Amino acid sequence: MVREGHDVICVDNYFTGAKSNVAHLLGFSNFEILRFDVRDPLRLEVDEIYNLACPASPQHYQLQPVRTIETSVMGTVNLLRLARETGATFLQASTSEIYGDAQVQPQSETYYGHVNPIGPRSCYDEGKRCAETMCFDYHRQYGVRVKVVRIFNTYGPRLSPADGRVASNFILQALRDKPITIYGDGLQTRSLCYVDDMVGGLAAMMDSNDDVTGPINLGNPDEHTIREIADLIMSITESKSKITFGPVPEDDPQKRRPDISLAIEKLNWRPTVDLETGLARTIGYFRRQFSMDMPG
Ligand code: UDP
């Protein structure tokens, strides 16, 4: 967006983000950064809002569950009010967690989900579900232009080494020849989408016609078991790590694969980076970034 000449205001409270991730943009006069928490009301002149606020890693969002649900609920209401005042188009980063431990495979947008409302993941799942509800209520009652995308597991360069999710955990463990920590038997599945593909999907959604409100799934339908992801990362890194099996996190979804027919039809979008290529790029990033404390 900066390259395309948009005026971009990046808002972050750095709960899970890092200034170093946007350091390369600081020299551009059309880029500004604001340390701010969207749980507080924000007044700005804007014409597009991408609401990506909220930690997305289970380890992070469960660390401070109240803050997590407040970020999705209060943050979304504050930004929807801003959209209403300014006439901005509002894009909500929703999530595959809307579907919970899904009982249908793959998940399409018509599935209402299977979510535990009081479990350790619910601060995230129910916060995001409430945020979706508010988007459609602001749309129906006040005519706010809303666009809701449900993002499936996304990975790539600039993931925090402390992120705690599967891609960065396994990559760091493999590069350091440390044990690969599979939770459970590793037969649970995820479908990982490379970050550049996801960014393209978000932009395509923002640029879509006003009648495209979503929700629309964005993700890569290429489904793998966690064990397969571990094996692939170990083979790309030529790691000497051993696999270990630990306890399964409570309410861990067993299967996850997006049905992206709607994204293909409405946005003419589909992912183009396959898992091996995306992982190789991400591994390259982690090697460069953290080469100091790695063997060899
Ligand atoms: N997982 C794992 N080892 C790890 C991190 C994650 O086995 O070090 C598993 C986790 O139990 C889940 C899947 O990988 O089944 C994806 O977990 P992640 O935290 O990346 O994201 P989620 O999709 O659960 O939000």
PDB file of all heavy atoms in Angstrom, residues 170-178 180 229-242 276 279-280 283-284 287 294-296:
ATOM      1  N   PHE A 170       8.400 -25.012  14.952  1.00  0.00           N
ATOM      2  CA  PHE A 170       9.118 -26.128  14.317  1.00  0.00           C
ATOM      3  C   PHE A 170      10.365 -25.632  13.581  1.00  0.00           C
ATOM      4  O   PHE A 170      11.396 -26.297  13.588  1.00  0.00           O
ATOM      5  CB  PHE A 170       8.200 -26.883  13.343  1.00  0.00           C
ATOM      6  CG  PHE A 170       7.136 -27.740  13.997  1.00  0.00           C
ATOM      7  CD1 PHE A 170       7.012 -27.796  15.379  1.00  0.00           C
ATOM      8  CD2 PHE A 170       6.267 -28.498  13.226  1.00  0.00           C
ATOM      9  CE1 PHE A 170       6.031 -28.584  15.994  1.00  0.00           C
ATOM     10  CE2 PHE A 170       5.289 -29.300  13.817  1.00  0.00           C
ATOM     11  CZ  PHE A 170       5.165 -29.334  15.192  1.00  0.00           C
ATOM     12  N   ILE A 171      10.263 -24.480  12.926  1.00  0.00           N
ATOM     13  CA  ILE A 171      11.428 -23.968  12.178  1.00  0.00           C
ATOM     14  C   ILE A 171      12.581 -23.668  13.137  1.00  0.00           C
ATOM     15  O   ILE A 171      13.725 -24.079  12.915  1.00  0.00           O
ATOM     16  CB  ILE A 171      11.051 -22.714  11.359  1.00  0.00           C
ATOM     17  CG1 ILE A 171      10.138 -23.106  10.190  1.00  0.00           C
ATOM     18  CG2 ILE A 171      12.295 -21.983  10.857  1.00  0.00           C
ATOM     19  CD1 ILE A 171       9.553 -21.933   9.418  1.00  0.00           C
ATOM     20  N   LEU A 172      12.287 -22.964  14.232  1.00  0.00           N
ATOM     21  CA  LEU A 172      13.360 -22.633  15.181  1.00  0.00           C
ATOM     22  C   LEU A 172      13.935 -23.899  15.814  1.00  0.00           C
ATOM     23  O   LEU A 172      15.148 -24.035  15.951  1.00  0.00           O
ATOM     24  CB  LEU A 172      12.832 -21.688  16.262  1.00  0.00           C
ATOM     25  CG  LEU A 172      12.709 -20.233  15.812  1.00  0.00           C
ATOM     26  CD1 LEU A 172      11.985 -19.398  16.866  1.00  0.00           C
ATOM     27  CD2 LEU A 172      14.092 -19.623  15.545  1.00  0.00           C
ATOM     28  N   GLN A 173      13.049 -24.830  16.173  1.00  0.00           N
ATOM     29  CA  GLN A 173      13.530 -26.084  16.775  1.00  0.00           C
ATOM     30  C   GLN A 173      14.408 -26.856  15.782  1.00  0.00           C
ATOM     31  O   GLN A 173      15.475 -27.353  16.139  1.00  0.00           O
ATOM     32  CB  GLN A 173      12.333 -26.945  17.203  1.00  0.00           C
ATOM     33  CG  GLN A 173      11.568 -26.340  18.381  1.00  0.00           C
ATOM     34  CD  GLN A 173      10.153 -26.886  18.537  1.00  0.00           C
ATOM     35  OE1 GLN A 173       9.640 -27.585  17.661  1.00  0.00           O
ATOM     36  NE2 GLN A 173       9.498 -26.559  19.653  1.00  0.00           N
ATOM     37  N   ALA A 174      13.972 -26.904  14.520  1.00  0.00           N
ATOM     38  CA  ALA A 174      14.732 -27.650  13.512  1.00  0.00           C
ATOM     39  C   ALA A 174      16.085 -26.992  13.264  1.00  0.00           C
ATOM     40  O   ALA A 174      17.114 -27.673  13.182  1.00  0.00           O
ATOM     41  CB  ALA A 174      13.933 -27.743  12.218  1.00  0.00           C
ATOM     42  N   LEU A 175      16.102 -25.662  13.163  1.00  0.00           N
ATOM     43  CA  LEU A 175      17.367 -24.967  12.890  1.00  0.00           C
ATOM     44  C   LEU A 175      18.351 -25.123  14.042  1.00  0.00           C
ATOM     45  O   LEU A 175      19.558 -25.088  13.853  1.00  0.00           O
ATOM     46  CB  LEU A 175      17.110 -23.480  12.622  1.00  0.00           C
ATOM     47  CG  LEU A 175      16.466 -23.147  11.269  1.00  0.00           C
ATOM     48  CD1 LEU A 175      16.136 -21.656  11.173  1.00  0.00           C
ATOM     49  CD2 LEU A 175      17.385 -23.548  10.105  1.00  0.00           C
ATOM     50  N   ARG A 176      17.819 -25.297  15.238  1.00  0.00           N
ATOM     51  CA  ARG A 176      18.705 -25.418  16.410  1.00  0.00           C
ATOM     52  C   ARG A 176      18.942 -26.877  16.809  1.00  0.00           C
ATOM     53  O   ARG A 176      19.517 -27.134  17.869  1.00  0.00           O
ATOM     54  CB  ARG A 176      18.078 -24.655  17.587  1.00  0.00           C
ATOM     55  CG  ARG A 176      18.093 -23.156  17.349  1.00  0.00           C
ATOM     56  CD  ARG A 176      17.281 -22.396  18.369  1.00  0.00           C
ATOM     57  NE  ARG A 176      17.461 -20.946  18.180  1.00  0.00           N
ATOM     58  CZ  ARG A 176      16.634 -20.015  18.628  1.00  0.00           C
ATOM     59  NH1 ARG A 176      15.550 -20.364  19.287  1.00  0.00           N
ATOM     60  NH2 ARG A 176      16.872 -18.738  18.418  1.00  0.00           N
ATOM     61  N   ASP A 177      18.429 -27.794  15.972  1.00  0.00           N
ATOM     62  CA  ASP A 177      18.531 -29.232  16.274  1.00  0.00           C
ATOM     63  C   ASP A 177      17.943 -29.576  17.643  1.00  0.00           C
ATOM     64  O   ASP A 177      18.428 -30.497  18.323  1.00  0.00           O
ATOM     65  CB  ASP A 177      19.993 -29.717  16.177  1.00  0.00           C
ATOM     66  CG  ASP A 177      20.482 -29.714  14.737  1.00  0.00           C
ATOM     67  OD1 ASP A 177      19.660 -29.958  13.833  1.00  0.00           O
ATOM     68  OD2 ASP A 177      21.683 -29.436  14.519  1.00  0.00           O
ATOM     69  N   LYS A 178      16.950 -28.819  18.052  1.00  0.00           N
ATOM     70  CA  LYS A 178      16.241 -29.087  19.324  1.00  0.00           C
ATOM     71  C   LYS A 178      15.034 -29.974  19.032  1.00  0.00           C
ATOM     72  O   LYS A 178      14.563 -30.039  17.884  1.00  0.00           O
ATOM     73  CB  LYS A 178      15.756 -27.764  19.929  1.00  0.00           C
ATOM     74  CG  LYS A 178      16.867 -26.807  20.318  1.00  0.00           C
ATOM     75  CD  LYS A 178      17.156 -26.935  21.813  1.00  0.00           C
ATOM     76  CE  LYS A 178      18.412 -26.208  22.255  1.00  0.00           C
ATOM     77  NZ  LYS A 178      18.371 -24.766  22.058  1.00  0.00           N
ATOM     78  N   ILE A 180      11.500 -31.418  18.234  1.00  0.00           N
ATOM     79  CA  ILE A 180      10.311 -30.857  17.583  1.00  0.00           C
ATOM     80  C   ILE A 180       9.110 -31.232  18.458  1.00  0.00           C
ATOM     81  O   ILE A 180       8.831 -32.417  18.662  1.00  0.00           O
ATOM     82  CB  ILE A 180      10.117 -31.452  16.168  1.00  0.00           C
ATOM     83  CG1 ILE A 180      11.382 -31.277  15.324  1.00  0.00           C
ATOM     84  CG2 ILE A 180       8.875 -30.890  15.489  1.00  0.00           C
ATOM     85  CD1 ILE A 180      11.605 -29.919  14.748  1.00  0.00           C
ATOM     86  N   ILE A 229       3.947 -31.618   8.443  1.00  0.00           N
ATOM     87  CA  ILE A 229       4.584 -30.286   8.462  1.00  0.00           C
ATOM     88  C   ILE A 229       5.938 -30.379   9.161  1.00  0.00           C
ATOM     89  O   ILE A 229       6.943 -29.814   8.700  1.00  0.00           O
ATOM     90  CB  ILE A 229       3.652 -29.256   9.142  1.00  0.00           C
ATOM     91  CG1 ILE A 229       2.382 -29.060   8.285  1.00  0.00           C
ATOM     92  CG2 ILE A 229       4.360 -27.911   9.363  1.00  0.00           C
ATOM     93  CD1 ILE A 229       1.270 -28.258   8.946  1.00  0.00           C
ATOM     94  N   ALA A 230       5.988 -31.140  10.263  1.00  0.00           N
ATOM     95  CA  ALA A 230       7.261 -31.330  10.981  1.00  0.00           C
ATOM     96  C   ALA A 230       8.292 -32.002  10.064  1.00  0.00           C
ATOM     97  O   ALA A 230       9.444 -31.564   9.965  1.00  0.00           O
ATOM     98  CB  ALA A 230       7.028 -32.178  12.231  1.00  0.00           C
ATOM     99  N   ASP A 231       7.862 -33.067   9.365  1.00  0.00           N
ATOM    100  CA  ASP A 231       8.786 -33.795   8.483  1.00  0.00           C
ATOM    101  C   ASP A 231       9.319 -32.893   7.371  1.00  0.00           C
ATOM    102  O   ASP A 231      10.506 -32.924   7.040  1.00  0.00           O
ATOM    103  CB  ASP A 231       8.075 -35.014   7.861  1.00  0.00           C
ATOM    104  CG  ASP A 231       7.847 -36.114   8.895  1.00  0.00           C
ATOM    105  OD1 ASP A 231       8.532 -36.102   9.940  1.00  0.00           O
ATOM    106  OD2 ASP A 231       6.968 -36.971   8.661  1.00  0.00           O
ATOM    107  N   LEU A 232       8.430 -32.082   6.796  1.00  0.00           N
ATOM    108  CA  LEU A 232       8.833 -31.202   5.699  1.00  0.00           C
ATOM    109  C   LEU A 232       9.856 -30.166   6.179  1.00  0.00           C
ATOM    110  O   LEU A 232      10.892 -29.943   5.533  1.00  0.00           O
ATOM    111  CB  LEU A 232       7.578 -30.512   5.120  1.00  0.00           C
ATOM    112  CG  LEU A 232       7.760 -29.668   3.876  1.00  0.00           C
ATOM    113  CD1 LEU A 232       8.433 -30.446   2.758  1.00  0.00           C
ATOM    114  CD2 LEU A 232       6.381 -29.159   3.385  1.00  0.00           C
ATOM    115  N   ILE A 233       9.597 -29.574   7.332  1.00  0.00           N
ATOM    116  CA  ILE A 233      10.521 -28.567   7.874  1.00  0.00           C
ATOM    117  C   ILE A 233      11.870 -29.214   8.197  1.00  0.00           C
ATOM    118  O   ILE A 233      12.938 -28.657   7.901  1.00  0.00           O
ATOM    119  CB  ILE A 233       9.906 -27.877   9.116  1.00  0.00           C
ATOM    120  CG1 ILE A 233       8.748 -26.965   8.675  1.00  0.00           C
ATOM    121  CG2 ILE A 233      10.960 -27.077   9.891  1.00  0.00           C
ATOM    122  CD1 ILE A 233       7.929 -26.366   9.793  1.00  0.00           C
ATOM    123  N   MET A 234      11.841 -30.427   8.744  1.00  0.00           N
ATOM    124  CA  MET A 234      13.106 -31.095   9.075  1.00  0.00           C
ATOM    125  C   MET A 234      13.882 -31.438   7.814  1.00  0.00           C
ATOM    126  O   MET A 234      15.109 -31.358   7.790  1.00  0.00           O
ATOM    127  CB  MET A 234      12.833 -32.354   9.891  1.00  0.00           C
ATOM    128  CG  MET A 234      12.307 -31.978  11.273  1.00  0.00           C
ATOM    129  SD  MET A 234      12.693 -33.200  12.517  1.00  0.00           S
ATOM    130  CE  MET A 234      11.959 -34.636  11.850  1.00  0.00           C
ATOM    131  N   SER A 235      13.141 -31.787   6.746  1.00  0.00           N
ATOM    132  CA  SER A 235      13.871 -32.131   5.531  1.00  0.00           C
ATOM    133  C   SER A 235      14.441 -30.881   4.853  1.00  0.00           C
ATOM    134  O   SER A 235      15.589 -30.885   4.399  1.00  0.00           O
ATOM    135  CB  SER A 235      12.965 -32.970   4.619  1.00  0.00           C
ATOM    136  OG  SER A 235      12.726 -32.353   3.400  1.00  0.00           O
ATOM    137  N   ILE A 236      13.699 -29.767   4.826  1.00  0.00           N
ATOM    138  CA  ILE A 236      14.247 -28.548   4.196  1.00  0.00           C
ATOM    139  C   ILE A 236      15.463 -28.031   4.975  1.00  0.00           C
ATOM    140  O   ILE A 236      16.432 -27.564   4.403  1.00  0.00           O
ATOM    141  CB  ILE A 236      13.175 -27.434   4.098  1.00  0.00           C
ATOM    142  CG1 ILE A 236      11.963 -27.898   3.291  1.00  0.00           C
ATOM    143  CG2 ILE A 236      13.757 -26.153   3.481  1.00  0.00           C
ATOM    144  CD1 ILE A 236      10.786 -26.932   3.315  1.00  0.00           C
ATOM    145  N   THR A 237      15.406 -28.121   6.308  1.00  0.00           N
ATOM    146  CA  THR A 237      16.508 -27.575   7.118  1.00  0.00           C
ATOM    147  C   THR A 237      17.636 -28.591   7.310  1.00  0.00           C
ATOM    148  O   THR A 237      18.660 -28.256   7.901  1.00  0.00           O
ATOM    149  CB  THR A 237      15.992 -27.173   8.521  1.00  0.00           C
ATOM    150  OG1 THR A 237      15.301 -28.297   9.082  1.00  0.00           O
ATOM    151  CG2 THR A 237      15.056 -25.986   8.468  1.00  0.00           C
ATOM    152  N   GLU A 238      17.415 -29.825   6.847  1.00  0.00           N
ATOM    153  CA  GLU A 238      18.376 -30.921   7.081  1.00  0.00           C
ATOM    154  C   GLU A 238      18.714 -31.021   8.565  1.00  0.00           C
ATOM    155  O   GLU A 238      19.876 -31.103   8.975  1.00  0.00           O
ATOM    156  CB  GLU A 238      19.640 -30.717   6.233  1.00  0.00           C
ATOM    157  CG  GLU A 238      19.329 -30.740   4.753  1.00  0.00           C
ATOM    158  CD  GLU A 238      20.537 -30.441   3.878  1.00  0.00           C
ATOM    159  OE1 GLU A 238      21.592 -30.077   4.413  1.00  0.00           O
ATOM    160  OE2 GLU A 238      20.408 -30.572   2.647  1.00  0.00           O
ATOM    161  N   SER A 239      17.674 -30.992   9.367  1.00  0.00           N
ATOM    162  CA  SER A 239      17.833 -30.940  10.814  1.00  0.00           C
ATOM    163  C   SER A 239      18.138 -32.312  11.416  1.00  0.00           C
ATOM    164  O   SER A 239      17.736 -33.341  10.877  1.00  0.00           O
ATOM    165  CB  SER A 239      16.532 -30.408  11.417  1.00  0.00           C
ATOM    166  OG  SER A 239      16.577 -30.476  12.808  1.00  0.00           O
ATOM    167  N   LYS A 240      18.825 -32.269  12.564  1.00  0.00           N
ATOM    168  CA  LYS A 240      19.069 -33.519  13.303  1.00  0.00           C
ATOM    169  C   LYS A 240      18.100 -33.647  14.469  1.00  0.00           C
ATOM    170  O   LYS A 240      18.261 -34.507  15.344  1.00  0.00           O
ATOM    171  CB  LYS A 240      20.507 -33.522  13.837  1.00  0.00           C
ATOM    172  CG  LYS A 240      21.573 -33.517  12.750  1.00  0.00           C
ATOM    173  CD  LYS A 240      22.949 -33.734  13.408  1.00  0.00           C
ATOM    174  CE  LYS A 240      24.099 -33.258  12.558  1.00  0.00           C
ATOM    175  NZ  LYS A 240      24.150 -31.805  12.302  1.00  0.00           N
ATOM    176  N   SER A 241      17.083 -32.798  14.492  1.00  0.00           N
ATOM    177  CA  SER A 241      16.113 -32.825  15.604  1.00  0.00           C
ATOM    178  C   SER A 241      15.402 -34.161  15.696  1.00  0.00           C
ATOM    179  O   SER A 241      15.207 -34.847  14.696  1.00  0.00           O
ATOM    180  CB  SER A 241      15.050 -31.744  15.390  1.00  0.00           C
ATOM    181  OG  SER A 241      15.609 -30.469  15.465  1.00  0.00           O
ATOM    182  N   LYS A 242      14.967 -34.483  16.926  1.00  0.00           N
ATOM    183  CA  LYS A 242      14.103 -35.655  17.154  1.00  0.00           C
ATOM    184  C   LYS A 242      12.686 -35.136  17.411  1.00  0.00           C
ATOM    185  O   LYS A 242      12.517 -34.054  17.967  1.00  0.00           O
ATOM    186  CB  LYS A 242      14.559 -36.428  18.400  1.00  0.00           C
ATOM    187  CG  LYS A 242      15.975 -36.972  18.295  1.00  0.00           C
ATOM    188  CD  LYS A 242      15.942 -38.402  17.759  1.00  0.00           C
ATOM    189  CE  LYS A 242      17.308 -39.032  17.642  1.00  0.00           C
ATOM    190  NZ  LYS A 242      18.275 -38.334  16.798  1.00  0.00           N
ATOM    191  N   GLU A 276       6.005 -25.932   0.415  1.00  0.00           N
ATOM    192  CA  GLU A 276       7.464 -26.106   0.448  1.00  0.00           C
ATOM    193  C   GLU A 276       8.184 -24.786   0.139  1.00  0.00           C
ATOM    194  O   GLU A 276       9.142 -24.411   0.814  1.00  0.00           O
ATOM    195  CB  GLU A 276       7.870 -27.196  -0.551  1.00  0.00           C
ATOM    196  CG  GLU A 276       9.276 -27.628  -0.315  1.00  0.00           C
ATOM    197  CD  GLU A 276       9.614 -28.952  -0.996  1.00  0.00           C
ATOM    198  OE1 GLU A 276       8.695 -29.658  -1.449  1.00  0.00           O
ATOM    199  OE2 GLU A 276      10.812 -29.242  -1.072  1.00  0.00           O
ATOM    200  N   LEU A 279       7.618 -22.344   3.108  1.00  0.00           N
ATOM    201  CA  LEU A 279       8.432 -22.719   4.273  1.00  0.00           C
ATOM    202  C   LEU A 279       9.902 -22.412   4.016  1.00  0.00           C
ATOM    203  O   LEU A 279      10.610 -21.929   4.899  1.00  0.00           O
ATOM    204  CB  LEU A 279       8.241 -24.206   4.604  1.00  0.00           C
ATOM    205  CG  LEU A 279       6.941 -24.566   5.322  1.00  0.00           C
ATOM    206  CD1 LEU A 279       6.825 -26.080   5.502  1.00  0.00           C
ATOM    207  CD2 LEU A 279       6.820 -23.873   6.685  1.00  0.00           C
ATOM    208  N   ALA A 280      10.376 -22.684   2.791  1.00  0.00           N
ATOM    209  CA  ALA A 280      11.787 -22.410   2.479  1.00  0.00           C
ATOM    210  C   ALA A 280      12.088 -20.909   2.648  1.00  0.00           C
ATOM    211  O   ALA A 280      13.112 -20.531   3.211  1.00  0.00           O
ATOM    212  CB  ALA A 280      12.112 -22.873   1.067  1.00  0.00           C
ATOM    213  N   ILE A 283      12.056 -20.169   6.396  1.00  0.00           N
ATOM    214  CA  ILE A 283      13.261 -20.726   7.010  1.00  0.00           C
ATOM    215  C   ILE A 283      14.460 -19.813   6.695  1.00  0.00           C
ATOM    216  O   ILE A 283      15.282 -19.515   7.562  1.00  0.00           O
ATOM    217  CB  ILE A 283      13.496 -22.171   6.525  1.00  0.00           C
ATOM    218  CG1 ILE A 283      12.448 -23.082   7.166  1.00  0.00           C
ATOM    219  CG2 ILE A 283      14.915 -22.655   6.817  1.00  0.00           C
ATOM    220  CD1 ILE A 283      12.293 -24.446   6.505  1.00  0.00           C
ATOM    221  N   GLY A 284      14.519 -19.330   5.455  1.00  0.00           N
ATOM    222  CA  GLY A 284      15.584 -18.400   5.070  1.00  0.00           C
ATOM    223  C   GLY A 284      15.571 -17.162   5.953  1.00  0.00           C
ATOM    224  O   GLY A 284      16.616 -16.698   6.428  1.00  0.00           O
ATOM    225  N   ARG A 287      16.792 -18.083   9.438  1.00  0.00           N
ATOM    226  CA  ARG A 287      18.249 -18.299   9.404  1.00  0.00           C
ATOM    227  C   ARG A 287      18.979 -16.956   9.438  1.00  0.00           C
ATOM    228  O   ARG A 287      19.916 -16.774  10.203  1.00  0.00           O
ATOM    229  CB  ARG A 287      18.645 -18.991   8.096  1.00  0.00           C
ATOM    230  CG  ARG A 287      18.787 -20.473   8.183  1.00  0.00           C
ATOM    231  CD  ARG A 287      19.551 -20.951   6.940  1.00  0.00           C
ATOM    232  NE  ARG A 287      19.026 -22.200   6.434  1.00  0.00           N
ATOM    233  CZ  ARG A 287      19.329 -23.391   6.935  1.00  0.00           C
ATOM    234  NH1 ARG A 287      20.142 -23.492   7.953  1.00  0.00           N
ATOM    235  NH2 ARG A 287      18.808 -24.482   6.413  1.00  0.00           N
ATOM    236  N   MET A 294      22.694 -19.854  16.290  1.00  0.00           N
ATOM    237  CA  MET A 294      22.430 -21.167  15.702  1.00  0.00           C
ATOM    238  C   MET A 294      23.732 -21.887  15.356  1.00  0.00           C
ATOM    239  O   MET A 294      24.706 -21.245  14.981  1.00  0.00           O
ATOM    240  CB  MET A 294      21.633 -20.988  14.415  1.00  0.00           C
ATOM    241  CG  MET A 294      20.163 -21.031  14.704  1.00  0.00           C
ATOM    242  SD  MET A 294      19.309 -20.471  13.291  1.00  0.00           S
ATOM    243  CE  MET A 294      17.829 -19.928  14.083  1.00  0.00           C
ATOM    244  N   PRO A 295      23.711 -23.174  15.461  1.00  0.00           N
ATOM    245  CA  PRO A 295      24.946 -23.905  15.138  1.00  0.00           C
ATOM    246  C   PRO A 295      25.307 -23.721  13.659  1.00  0.00           C
ATOM    247  O   PRO A 295      24.414 -23.591  12.832  1.00  0.00           O
ATOM    248  CB  PRO A 295      24.582 -25.374  15.423  1.00  0.00           C
ATOM    249  CG  PRO A 295      23.100 -25.428  15.525  1.00  0.00           C
ATOM    250  CD  PRO A 295      22.613 -24.060  15.862  1.00  0.00           C
ATOM    251  N   GLY A 296      26.565 -23.719  13.366  1.00  0.00           N
ATOM    252  CA  GLY A 296      27.025 -23.620  11.984  1.00  0.00           C
ATOM    253  C   GLY A 296      26.922 -22.215  11.499  1.00  0.00           C
ATOM    254  O   GLY A 296      27.116 -21.918  10.347  1.00  0.00           O
TER     255      GLY A 296
END
